[in-house]
Each structure stands twice: as C-alpha cells, then as structure tokens.
Amino acid sequence: MRSKVETHLLVGSYAAADQESIFRYAFNTADGTLGLLDSVCGMENPSFIVPDRSGRLLFAISETKKGDYSAMVTFQMIPGAKPALLSKVSYKGSGACHITVDWDGKFAVSANYGGGSLAMLPFDEWGKLSDTLQLLEFSGSGPVHDRQETSHVHSSLLLSEQRILLIADLGTDRIYVCRYDSLATQPLIFADTPFISLPDGSGPRCMALHPTGLWFYVTCELSADIFVFKKGQLDKWIYSYTVANDLVPNGREAADIKIDRSGRYLYASNRGDADEIIVFAINEHTGALKEIQRIPSGAKGPRYLVIDPSGSYLFAANEKGNSITAFEISPQNGKLSYRGVAAQVNAPACMQFVQLSTGDN
C-alpha cells in the first residue's frame, strides 16, 4: 500500500492561554482551499511557529508582554492527528517573536523583541528542549523614538553554506553578523565585521535567502524599504527598493517577504493603511528587483505570507482583519489573483506548510 502525503497549513495566532491558538488546516492541492482539521489550546500568543527540516517537529514561541521571560514549546507532528505537546521551556528574553531552527537539528534560535536579545535553546533528537545555552543581549537605539528607544531583535537568518547567522535588530538599524558552529561550547561568535548598518530609521524586520544562496533580502518595517545583499559581501547592500505607498496616509509599515521556490519572484507585504502585497521579479543574474504588481491583501494587517509547496498559491495572514486570504500565483509571470478569504482566524500571526507521509511514524 502506497503512502499518502498530507499537506497541512498550520497557523499561529495571538490568543489567551485558555483559547484555541494554533490551527491545523487540510490544504486541497487541486483548488487551493483550506479545511479546518483541529486546533490546539493552552498556549498564550504562539505568534511564531516553524517546523524542523523533517516536518515532524513544530516549534512555537509564547509571546508575552509582561516580565523578562518568554517560553518556547515543541510539538510532535503526527499524520492524522493534532500536534502533540513534547516539551516547554521558559528563558530570559521578553517578547519573543521569531524562531530559526538550525540545519544540524541541534538548536532553536529565539529572537526576543522586547528583551533585545537572541537565545539559543538546544533540543534533542526527540524534540525535547533544554535551557538556554547562549544568550546574546544587544543595546543601542535609533531615531524613531517610539519604536527605537532600545534594541528590538526581530528575526534571524542562517546562511548555511557560509556558517553565518544574521540577526535583524529593528531598534538599532543593524544586521548583526555571527559565525555559527553548532559543536562549539558557545555556538555564536561575532564576525570580524560584527554588524551591517542600514539607514537611520529603517527598522529591519525580516530576511529571506534566495534559493541559489547568491543574495539575501532584508525588509524594513519603519521605512518600508527592501535591501539586497550579495553572497560574501556583507559590508554594504547592492540595491534598495521601497514597498511604501505614499498615496495613502500611514502607508509605511512593511511586514513580511517571501521568495518563490524558483527564485524568480519576491512577495512583500505592507500594512498600515496600505494593506497590500507587492510583487517583484528577481533578475536571475544580478538579484535586482523590478516591481510588477501591487494588490490589496483583502483584509487589514497582512503580517505574514506563505507559499504552498507547489508554488501555485500564496496566503496572507491578516492579523487585524482576523482572516487568511488566498491568492493564485500565475506560473507565467508570478502575479497574484485574489481568491477570497480562505479561513477566519482571530489575529493570525504566522503560517507554515507541513507535508507528512501517512507512512511516517
């Protein structure tokens, strides 16, 4: 009997501890529709979730607004069943908002927005988390006084071939650069050039690596700019673009960026009063971007974007619109066609696709 592959969309949201907060949807590969399967209760604000490389583990942060600590949880992903709790740890660093799972399957890296820090949490082969092995704490500020009064680490990105971890600090307009060795007592060591400076008031939020590894892209929340960097040349960006919409009030609040599997197109979301998705074509020789479309996200606050494994559909998690909207991606030119609301979710914040075989144990 052949194994059947299940494709699910997992959604993390802002919710109280006694509310449903992680949702599992069946994804119909034929028409791009979603069907709710089940949900998880008992975890406050799992605003960022991410699977490991195998798809059998799911990591989730609990973003809290009070105190000096955050929490991270691991779940086991079982075909035909809701995520099963494996472990939970609390660690120093308030306002956790992003997780990177390393390629060696040893560490989950937590970006802590409120604490201005980065925590490395080891986990074993079964997915059980341990206490923080290394904590990097940052300091500094920027010119946007109500958003950059101190360091606000928003995300990290692993450049596996170069064994480098990049750390986006919205509060200081810096991308910190660390060398990464998963076998070392202290896996992270600052590079000879410890950070990249972006223009004052940019507010770097998240990063995306091109499938070829030749370029990486940084989106900045406050200025609504995208900066392009070339492999091996981390001292200065080679291109910059804007996703701002100056035709509307408060048209600068960039959020997420995603690159399609072919590396031909980049998708960026802009919130504020704009609430739109901007599509760029990527030059295959230089990594340069060319804007080719702006389309409304279909609801308020497109915080997070995800592309399905086939590359046929894009979904937007509209945090303030309490919905997930769907778009079909043109295979000819990468442009989006609005398909409507795919699911109603209170304050969705993050989405991840997982594919599991029914033959998996």
Side-chain angles (χ1 to χ4, degrees), residues 24-206:
R24 186 170 68 105
Y25 292 87
F27 173 67
N28 188 321
T29 57
D31 61 10
T33 57
L34 302 176
L36 180 63
L37 295 172
D38 47 50
S39 57
V40 174
C41 183
M43 184 176 184
E44 180 183 6
N45 295 337
S47 62
F48 197 91
I49 58 175
V50 64
D52 72 341
R53 182 178 295 181
S54 72
R56 299 180 183 180
L57 296 175
L58 181 70
F59 295 78
I61 56 99
S62 179
E63 181 181 339
T64 55
K65 306 298 184 182
K66 298 179 181 180
D68 297 327
Y69 287 79
S70 293
M72 187 182 296
V73 174
T74 53
F75 296 92
Q76 183 181 10
M77 298 300 297
I78 305 171
K82 71 168 59 180
L85 180 65
L86 285 174
S87 67
K88 178 179 180 180
V89 295
S90 295
Y91 52 96
K92 185 178 180 182
S94 65
C97 63
H98 185 274
I99 303 170
T100 294
V101 179
D102 83 331
W103 54 81
D104 295 324
K106 295 180 180 294
F107 294 99
V109 182
S110 173
N112 308 314
Y113 183 91
S117 63
L118 191 87
M120 297 198 67
L121 282 65
F123 62 93
D124 63 23
E125 59 183 307
W126 297 281
K128 182 180 179 181
L129 292 161
S130 298
D131 293 337
T132 302
L133 177 70
Q134 187 175 6
L135 180 70
L136 300 181
E137 296 181 285
F138 302 90
S139 61
S141 60
V144 183
H145 300 301
D146 59 337
R147 295 295 310 278
Q148 296 185 307
E149 76 289 353
T150 187
S151 170
H152 290 304
V153 177
H154 213 301
S155 66
S156 63
L157 176 69
L158 281 167
L159 307 183
S160 57
E161 184 181 330
Q162 302 174 62
R163 312 296 292 187
I164 285 174
L165 181 74
L166 303 174
I167 304 162
D169 189 342
L170 182 147
T172 63
D173 297 318
R174 290 177 173 179
I175 306 292
Y176 288 96
V177 183
C178 288
R179 301 195 182 280
Y180 176 67
D181 181 356
S182 65
L183 300 179
T185 303
Q186 296 287 285
L188 293 177
I189 299 176
F190 284 104
D192 294 338
T193 301
F195 59 84
I196 306 162
S197 293
L198 294 177
D200 289 349
S202 298
R205 177 184 173 91
C206 62

Side-chain angles (χ1 to χ4, degrees), residues 158-336:
L158 281 167
L159 307 183
S160 57
E161 184 181 330
Q162 302 174 62
R163 312 296 292 187
I164 285 174
L165 181 74
L166 303 174
I167 304 162
D169 189 342
L170 182 147
T172 63
D173 297 318
R174 290 177 173 179
I175 306 292
Y176 288 96
V177 183
C178 288
R179 301 195 182 280
Y180 176 67
D181 181 356
S182 65
L183 300 179
T185 303
Q186 296 287 285
L188 293 177
I189 299 176
F190 284 104
D192 294 338
T193 301
F195 59 84
I196 306 162
S197 293
L198 294 177
D200 289 349
S202 298
R205 177 184 173 91
C206 62
M207 300 169 282
L209 181 66
H210 193 270
T212 63
L214 293 176
W215 308 283
F216 77 90
Y217 300 78
V218 180
T219 186
C220 295
E221 179 174 343
L222 304 183
S223 65
D225 292 324
I226 296 176
F227 294 91
V228 187
F229 291 83
K230 189 175 182 180
K231 175 184 176 182
Q233 299 179 15
L234 301 182
D235 56 331
K236 187 68 175 176
W237 63 88
I238 56 174
Y239 305 110
S240 66
Y241 305 88
T242 184
V243 300
N245 190 335
D246 292 328
L247 299 178
V248 299
N250 188 26
R252 294 175 181 266
E253 194 183 343
D256 198 18
I257 50 172
K258 289 293 187 295
I259 299 172
D260 79 316
R261 187 171 57 181
S262 72
R264 297 168 61 197
Y265 305 105
L266 182 146
Y267 300 87
S269 66
N270 188 19
R271 299 169 296 176
D273 293 332
D275 293 323
E276 59 188 357
I277 299 171
I278 303 90
V279 185
F280 294 89
I282 301 175
N283 185 298
E284 64 178 327
H285 302 292
T286 66
L289 301 179
K290 179 182 179 181
E291 183 181 319
I292 58 175
Q293 184 187 25
R294 285 178 179 256
I295 184 171
S297 66
K300 187 72 175 171
R303 180 186 177 96
Y304 200 87
L305 306 175
V306 69
I307 300 171
D308 86 278
S310 75
S312 300
Y313 297 94
L314 178 143
F315 294 87
N318 302 287
E319 178 192 350
K320 295 182 179 180
N322 300 319
S323 66
I324 296 170
T325 46
F327 300 82
E328 189 169 3
I329 301 173
S330 168
Q332 284 75 39
N333 55 28
K335 292 184 178 181
L336 301 177

